Amino acid sequence: MTNTVGLALSGGGVRGVAHLGVIKALNELEIKFSRISGTSSGAIVGAFISAGYAPEEILKIAIEKKFFGFSNLLFGKAGLFDMKNFEAVYKTYFPDNNIEDLPIPLTIVATDMVNESIKYFEEGNLSQALMASSCVPLIFQPIQYDETILMDGGILNNFPIEPLQGRVDKIIGVTVNSLSKKLNELHMKDMLDRSFHFTLNKELMTKAALCDVFIEPPGMSRFGMFDMDAFQEVFDYGYTYTKSIEADILLHLK
């Protein structure tokens, strides 16, 4: 395959583990990524893939270190969780801790809460960028950066295809927040989840049309964003779904 391929990964909490299953299936098709962009959990997955870790290896690390849960976190100001403990974890797996040193170029997306703008990281402190990108509002303390405040990239761009446009020949976009259409009743958790993702997904279809390959495993809302017990199931689901559409993927990458 001579085309250069870029990979865009959405946020989604624990659902982001589905990215790993998707990437495992893409690896089996011998698809190589020339550039990756990611938001929140997609940024975390993207960083590990960019550094050369295998999807199964990342899954094991995620389960052990609970990247998408609360076990590694400490209460900070105003009862919000402090993300500082994650910094040491990231530095363990990314000892150089520089985005520009990753073997595959990576763009990490965060939201500048002061200037109401999107912040794209393509160089500099990797652990800080990952913490900023995954700093979910009302759950985590904001990240202070260069006299401004950064939070979850998904607030303004949960599907970051823009950093790939004009820089690769083909774009594969993966989102993991599809909503189930088979709800008999809406519980409070479901209403909050759907309200959150209605906002995140408002530009999704427009961006999906700009991808050469768009992968969205259906019914992902059955997995909770912080359901730590679902890691393996989410991984397997992303993998199985992608295997089911592999002929279509290859067709659109020609």
Side-chain angles (χ1 to χ4, degrees), residues 149-184:
I149 296 173
L150 301 179
M151 296 201 76
D152 196 300
I155 298 170
L156 291 181
N157 190 351
N158 199 48
F159 188 37
I161 66 167
E162 295 86 349
L164 304 177
Q165 292 178 308
R167 304 168 89 175
V168 293
D169 298 317
K170 301 287 184 176
I171 295 176
I172 298 176
V174 188
T175 71
V176 293
N177 297 302
S178 57
L179 297 170
S180 173
K181 303 295 192 295
K182 297 182 179 180
L183 282 179
N184 295 321

Side-chain angles (χ1 to χ4, degrees), residues 10 23 27 31 73 77-78 83 90 99 118 155-156 161 164 171 211 219-220 242:
S10 76
I23 293 168
N27 286 347
I31 296 170
L73 303 176
K77 298 177 182 177
M83 301 189 76
Y90 289 138
I99 301 171
I118 300 170
I155 298 170
L156 291 181
I161 66 167
L164 304 177
I171 295 176
C211 296
M220 288 293 294
T242 307

Side-chain angles (χ1 to χ4, degrees), residues 31-92:
I31 296 170
K32 306 297 183 183
F33 309 119
S34 299
R35 185 172 291 272
I36 300 174
S37 66
T39 293
S40 199
S41 58
I44 297 171
V45 169
F48 277 90
I49 294 296
S50 294
Y53 291 92
E56 297 92 338
E57 187 178 9
I58 303 166
L59 175 65
K60 181 178 179 182
I61 294 169
I63 292 172
E64 290 178 353
K65 302 300 182 181
K66 298 179 171 58
F67 277 125
F68 310 114
F70 298 132
S71 297
N72 282 325
L73 303 176
L74 301 173
F75 275 113
K77 298 177 182 177
L80 300 179
F81 287 103
D82 187 336
M83 301 189 76
K84 289 181 179 179
N85 278 12
F86 275 135
E87 186 167 21
V89 176
Y90 289 138
K91 287 181 178 180
T92 298

Side-chain angles (χ1 to χ4, degrees), residues 11-32:
V14 165
R15 295 171 191 155
V17 175
H19 289 313
L20 297 173
V22 171
I23 293 168
K24 177 184 177 183
L26 296 177
N27 286 347
E28 291 175 358
L29 293 175
E30 299 185 351
I31 296 170
K32 306 297 183 183

Side-chain angles (χ1 to χ4, degrees), residues 97-101 106-108 119-126 128-129 145:
N97 202 33
N98 292 312
I99 301 171
E100 64 270 27
D101 291 336
L106 174 68
T107 304
I108 296 171
K119 172 66 177 177
Y120 293 114
F121 288 95
E122 295 189 341
E123 59 182 22
N125 189 308
L126 175 59
Q128 185 178 48
Y145 175 84

